[in-house]
Amino acid sequence: MDDFAKQLQEQEKALENIRHKLALLPDQPGCYLMKNREGTIIYVGKAKVLKNRVRSYFTGSHNGKTQMLVSEIRDFEYIVTGSNMEALILECNLIKTHQPRYNVLLKDDKTYPYLKITNEEHPRLEVTRRVLKDKAKYFGPYPNAYAAQQTKKLLDRMYPLRKCGVMPKEVCLYYHMGQCMAPCVKEVPKSAYEEITSEINSFLSGGHEEIKKELQRKMQEAAEDLYFERAKELRDQIIHIDTLMEKQKITTTDTRDRDVFGYAVDKGWMCVQILYMRQGKMVQRNKSIFPFYGDAHSDFMSFIAQYYSDNPAVPQEILLPGPVLIEEAESDAQDSIAAKDAPISEGAGSRAAASTESGQAPGAGEGDAAGSPSLAVAEDPSGSGSAGSGPESSGQGEEAERLAAATKAENERAEAAGLVDAAGGAAALQEWLGVKVHVPQRGLKRQMVGMAIENAKVALDEKFRLIERDEERTSIAAANLGEVIGIESLNRIEAFDNSNIQGTNPVSAMVVFTNGKPDKKEYRKYKIRTVQGPDDYETMREVIRRRYERVLKENLPLPDLIVVDGGRGQISAAIDVLENELGLFIPVCGLVKDAKHRTAQLMVGDPPQPVSLPRDSQEFYLLQRIQDEVHRFAISFHRDQRGKSMVSSKLDSIPGIGEKRRKLLLKHFGSIKKIKEASVEDFKPLSIGEKLATDILNALRDEES
């Protein structure tokens, strides 16, 4: 029964934590990871709007399977992505990595589909899931096989490549339909294949917009001529193209292992986000939040150096953000905040519309290595923008020049200030680790770094919002508790607890809560000096006397409320010492526990009277935290004292064992139990002879018996 009550209490605390986290979920797409009480990931899902989807698990009714899942959830984590397609692919990667219990229907061994133009005398266009080093041209990965097959079907109609797996002896139907050049019976020049390959490459690297416009024109003509079946077929082809070309950067065409870093800073704190890409797929993330005191980028580079000095698993490539990219992210965040209160100008609206129509993420260059359709060509998987698939536009050139100038200025500023610039830091890290370290300026890799920065911003914002909510809740709870007790201002609370086992090693402890939060610098420990045996009332008298004699002597701040662990007897003992011996009139309350050692009742006054507090109120929760904290502090101190006394009594009483030899024995064996289990020969490395070793073993074993 006690175990069930404990589990129920743990579940209530976990749900309370979940409720606070639900209020902070962003209105962005991404993936969420549900965890059980052991911290094991039991379910991975994706969402178009994280806030709505994750909340739905904890509200309303569900079917049997979902109810079972929700009953095991004790915490959750989420990763923000740039689009729904990224969330889909990330979900697949996470499921394959963690294999959650409740994602059993989503487990498979499939990889992502690619379109491939084979490297043959008469090339073919095919869909494959394997990327080989066979000099073929690969385009992808694609979000799903259906979209890839439909796009291949569209390309087959447009470009007459060979369709047959084995060369036939006579022409087939595809030739008569104009979808094959019939290399089985005709001589097809190599230049014709090169031209078709170039056109397909152009289509999959951005030229699809022209094809879409042509298909839309034909669809409108078919609709006007009342050929609705033909119009529907053309509409479906346009939808397939849009699905295929949607931006995604979760998976790359190569299979390199990468660590992608991003960071965000605010209010003197930094959050570093690491996205782990393994075999070209994002499988996990890690975040670290800590205060920083110097230049943000220099401290970030220092963090990376320390991270890899303790981490032997270095990937094949590391992607880092530059100060320019961080400043752009901060500027975008400020612009988005301002946009909530300001009307959108006509220019901004048209720009946003153009960005949406092209399917590009804001800030993405037109010449990304992934191409406008976001599909990385296997011949140039770097994504650094150094090998675009088409001619560079003037806009792209201006963007590159602007980035180069800004980066140069930033590096000059850093050098003048004696700081680590982005390029220099990356070069030093590359030389030290022996792997490629890049600060990407554009392309797919820059977008991946941008995703890490976005996740860092979200995590840092969540931290501050949680702190604000906790401070607000605890401050309100402390104020309300003061009203219940009859105290105008309740800022400082000092709580006491005693601990002993049948009167042995009696100790006491005091904790301090300021404005509802623990102030650990003010904690104090007390060894009981005058009380013999298990007398809790006299122990309380001694501790209260010693504490507040020192407060008066050193002119320390007095508490607004004193909390003792116990009922009428402990309260009366504390009040008697305070008022009759020290002349202090400080309110004293007691926390009474039930049979299961849980906080049950608050008692106040002289004589003490119970105060009714709802068990689900924030005030009761604050008292519960105070009692749990002071009990934990007292128990840990008592265990330390008991452990020292046990060691002292067992070893120090043996002739020939002094302080130095006792420490040597404990350091070598680790514990008294290990010493008892040792043989005489095990003492020889400590220069302890056979006689003394025998005396030690006999003394310990005799005491145990």
Side-chain angles (χ1 to χ4, degrees):
M1 191 65 182
D2 290 345
D3 292 340
F4 176 76
K6 185 177 180 181
Q7 290 178 7
L8 193 61
Q9 188 177 10
E10 289 178 356
Q11 185 176 3
E12 290 175 357
K13 289 184 178 180
L15 291 176
E16 179 73 17
N17 180 53
I18 287 174
R19 279 194 289 271
H20 298 322
K21 293 181 72 172
L22 289 175
L24 307 178
L25 284 166
D27 296 320
Q28 294 173 266
C31 288
Y32 52 90
L33 301 88
M34 301 298 192
K35 300 180 179 180
N36 61 12
R37 64 179 181 178
E38 285 82 23
T40 304
I41 295 172
I42 58 175
Y43 184 75
V44 174
K46 64 181 182 301
K48 185 177 181 181
V49 180
L50 280 168
K51 178 186 289 185
N52 298 343
R53 182 69 184 110
V54 178
R55 277 182 174 178
S56 68
Y57 284 92
F58 305 97
T59 57
S61 58
H62 305 288
N63 58 31
K65 178 184 175 183
T66 307
Q67 287 178 359
M68 187 177 296
L69 165 64
V70 174
S71 68
E72 294 189 27
I73 296 174
R74 296 294 180 271
D75 195 8
F76 68 87
E77 184 183 350
Y78 59 89
I79 301 176
V80 176
T81 60
S83 69
N84 298 333
M85 200 58 63
E86 291 176 12
L88 172 68
I89 298 176
L90 176 57
E91 178 193 38
C92 185
N93 291 340
L94 293 172
I95 290 171
K96 289 181 178 179
T97 302
H98 300 289
Q99 297 188 352
R101 174 184 174 187
Y102 289 98
N103 285 98
V104 62
L105 297 178
L106 297 178
K107 293 179 183 177
D108 58 46
D109 297 326
K110 295 180 181 178
T111 54
Y112 301 109
Y114 293 81
L115 278 179
K116 172 183 179 180
I117 300 178
T118 61
N119 180 35
E120 300 175 274
E121 182 182 357
H122 304 290
R124 294 181 298 123
L125 180 67
E126 61 182 28
V127 176
T128 181
R129 292 183 180 271
R130 298 180 62 193
V131 179
L132 306 174
K133 295 181 179 180
D134 53 3
K135 297 185 180 180
K137 292 185 180 293
Y138 293 88
F139 303 90
Y142 294 100
N144 58 72
Y146 179 73
Q149 291 286 358
Q150 292 300 313
T151 304
K152 177 184 178 298
K153 187 176 179 181
L154 174 64
L155 294 175
D156 283 339
R157 293 176 180 176
M158 296 166 53
Y159 303 107
L161 289 178
R162 176 167 67 96
K163 307 295 187 296
C164 304
V166 179
M167 195 76 71
K169 296 181 180 179
E170 55 185 24
V171 295
C172 59
L173 183 60
Y174 287 113
Y175 172 74
H176 297 293
M177 295 170 61
Q179 296 182 20
C180 181
M181 293 185 289
C184 52
V185 295
K186 293 185 177 181
E187 195 69 36
V188 180
K190 187 177 181 181
S191 59
Y193 288 126
E194 291 176 350
E195 182 180 352
I196 290 175
T197 302
S198 177
E199 290 182 6
I200 293 177
N201 188 6
S202 176
F203 170 80
L204 296 175
S205 303
H208 66 287
E209 290 296 334
E210 295 298 324
I211 302 296
K212 273 181 58 180
K213 290 178 182 178
E214 181 65 19
L215 291 174
Q216 287 169 348
R217 184 186 64 79
K218 291 181 179 180
M219 180 181 68
Q220 291 174 356
E221 289 180 355
E224 290 172 359
D225 294 338
L226 304 181
Y227 294 132
F228 297 118
E229 292 293 331
R230 176 61 177 164
K232 179 179 180 297
E233 182 182 348
L234 293 168
R235 184 204 64 185
D236 292 342
Q237 291 179 2
I238 294 171
I239 292 173
H240 295 322
I241 291 176
D242 288 337
T243 302
L244 178 69
M245 301 305 176
E246 183 173 350
K247 273 280 184 190
Q248 66 88 12
K249 49 188 177 286
I250 293 296
T251 302
T252 57
T253 53
D254 59 1
T255 56
R256 297 177 69 84
D257 292 348
R258 293 185 178 89
D259 285 354
V260 183
F261 285 85
Y263 71 92
V265 295
D266 191 14
K267 300 181 180 67
W269 285 78
M270 175 181 292
C271 175
V272 177
Q273 192 85 210
I274 311 172
L275 305 180
Y276 299 101
M277 308 282 292
R278 295 299 179 262
Q279 296 297 308
K281 303 177 181 66
M282 185 194 296
V283 296
Q284 194 180 1
R285 74 163 184 168
N286 183 43
K287 67 178 178 183
S288 297
I289 301 178
F290 49 87
F292 76 101
Y293 305 96
D295 176 77
H297 193 72
S298 294
D299 284 7
F300 167 69
M301 295 301 296
S302 175
F303 170 87
I304 293 177
Q306 295 178 51
Y307 174 79
Y308 284 113
S309 67
D310 297 330
N311 183 5
V314 181
Q316 296 170 294
E317 189 175 60
I318 300 171
L319 302 183
L320 304 179
V324 175
L325 188 58
I326 293 294
E327 289 171 5
E328 286 182 356
E330 293 174 351
S331 176
D332 291 343
Q334 293 173 358
D335 292 345
S336 65
I337 293 172
K340 294 179 180 178
D341 302 320
I344 300 176
S345 65
E346 183 178 350
S350 60
R351 178 182 175 188
S355 175
T356 304
E357 288 176 6
S358 65
Q360 291 186 356
E366 295 177 5
D368 290 350
S372 300
S374 83
L375 299 174
V377 182
E379 288 185 322
D380 178 28
S382 66
S384 62
S386 60
S389 57
E392 190 170 273
S393 66
S394 60
Q396 179 188 5
E398 293 173 2
E399 173 73 5
E401 291 176 4
R402 186 188 70 80
L403 281 172
T407 303
K408 183 179 179 182
E410 175 63 29
N411 290 342
E412 290 175 353
R413 182 196 69 80
E415 185 177 356
L419 305 174
V420 179
D421 63 272
L429 198 63
Q430 178 169 307
E431 183 178 357
W432 176 46
L433 297 176
V435 299
K436 291 185 178 180
V437 182
H438 296 308
V439 183
Q441 299 300 318
R442 57 182 180 144
L444 182 62
K445 291 184 179 180
R446 186 177 187 269
Q447 294 173 33
M448 287 193 282
V449 172
M451 176 185 287
I453 294 172
E454 177 65 22
N455 276 277
K457 287 164 54 184
V458 170
L460 200 58
D461 181 59
E462 178 183 294
K463 173 184 173 61
F464 291 128
R465 290 168 67 188
L466 277 172
I467 291 174
E468 291 171 2
R469 287 172 63 88
D470 287 342
E471 289 180 349
E472 182 180 357
R473 283 169 42 243
T474 52
S475 298
I476 293 174
N480 292 343
L481 182 61
E483 292 180 6
V484 170
I485 298 175
I487 302 174
E488 293 183 1
S489 176
L490 184 56
N491 297 322
R492 183 182 177 93
I493 300 174
E494 296 185 358
F496 295 85
D497 189 19
N498 306 324
S499 181
N500 66 81
I501 296 179
Q502 296 180 349
T504 61
N505 305 112
V507 298
S508 188
M510 181 197 76
V511 301
V512 178
F513 275 64
T514 305
N515 294 325
K517 295 180 293 184
D519 189 354
K520 296 193 175 183
K521 292 181 180 179
E522 298 287 330
Y523 286 14
R524 295 293 182 268
K525 302 173 182 176
Y526 298 92
K527 293 181 181 178
I528 303 304
R529 301 170 181 168
T530 61
V531 181
Q532 299 295 327
D535 191 337
D536 205 33
Y537 300 153
E538 288 302 317
T539 300
M540 185 62 65
R541 286 175 180 274
E542 178 184 331
V543 173
I544 294 293
R545 185 183 298 113
R546 288 169 57 185
R547 166 62 184 169
Y548 294 104
E549 279 181 348
R550 183 173 182 179
V551 167
L552 292 173
K553 183 179 179 180
E554 299 182 9
N555 198 25
L556 300 175
L558 288 168
D560 300 308
L561 177 67
I562 296 173
V563 179
V564 298
D565 186 67
R568 290 183 173 86
Q570 286 84 352
I571 296 174
S572 299
I575 291 177
D576 181 48
V577 172
L578 289 169
E579 296 182 359
N580 300 328
E581 296 185 24
L582 304 176
L584 295 175
F585 295 88
I586 303 172
V588 180
C589 71
L591 296 177
V592 183
K593 295 181 180 179
D594 58 17
K596 297 178 180 177
H597 211 68
R598 295 179 302 183
T599 305
Q601 196 175 46
L602 170 67
M603 301 193 74
V604 183
D606 188 17
Q609 298 296 327
V611 176
S612 177
L613 275 179
R615 294 185 68 90
D616 59 348
S617 65
Q618 289 295 327
E619 295 75 30
F620 190 87
Y621 179 57
L622 173 61
L623 291 172
Q624 194 176 46
R625 282 194 296 151
I626 292 173
Q627 189 169 40
D628 290 345
E629 177 67 2
V630 69
H631 183 67
R632 178 200 64 79
F633 192 51
I635 286 293
S636 62
F637 182 42
H638 181 259
R639 284 173 180 165
D640 291 343
Q641 296 301 310
R642 191 173 76 245
K644 290 178 181 178
S645 66
M646 289 173 66
V647 170
S648 175
S649 63
K650 289 182 179 180
L651 289 179
D652 290 350
S653 61
I654 301 173
I657 300 296
E659 178 71 16
K660 184 176 179 181
R661 199 164 254 170
R662 176 168 62 85
K663 290 181 179 179
L664 190 65
L665 284 166
L666 290 173
K667 183 178 180 181
H668 180 75
F669 289 102
S671 67
I672 295 290
K673 182 181 178 182
K674 293 288 181 63
I675 297 176
K676 287 189 290 187
E677 295 172 351
S679 62
V680 173
E681 288 75 16
D682 294 333
F683 290 86
K684 290 182 179 179
L686 303 178
S687 300
I688 294 178
E690 183 177 344
K691 184 178 183 304
L692 181 56
T694 304
D695 292 343
I696 293 172
L697 293 174
N698 290 337
L700 294 178
R701 290 166 183 169
D702 288 345
E703 184 172 344
E704 183 180 15
S705 61

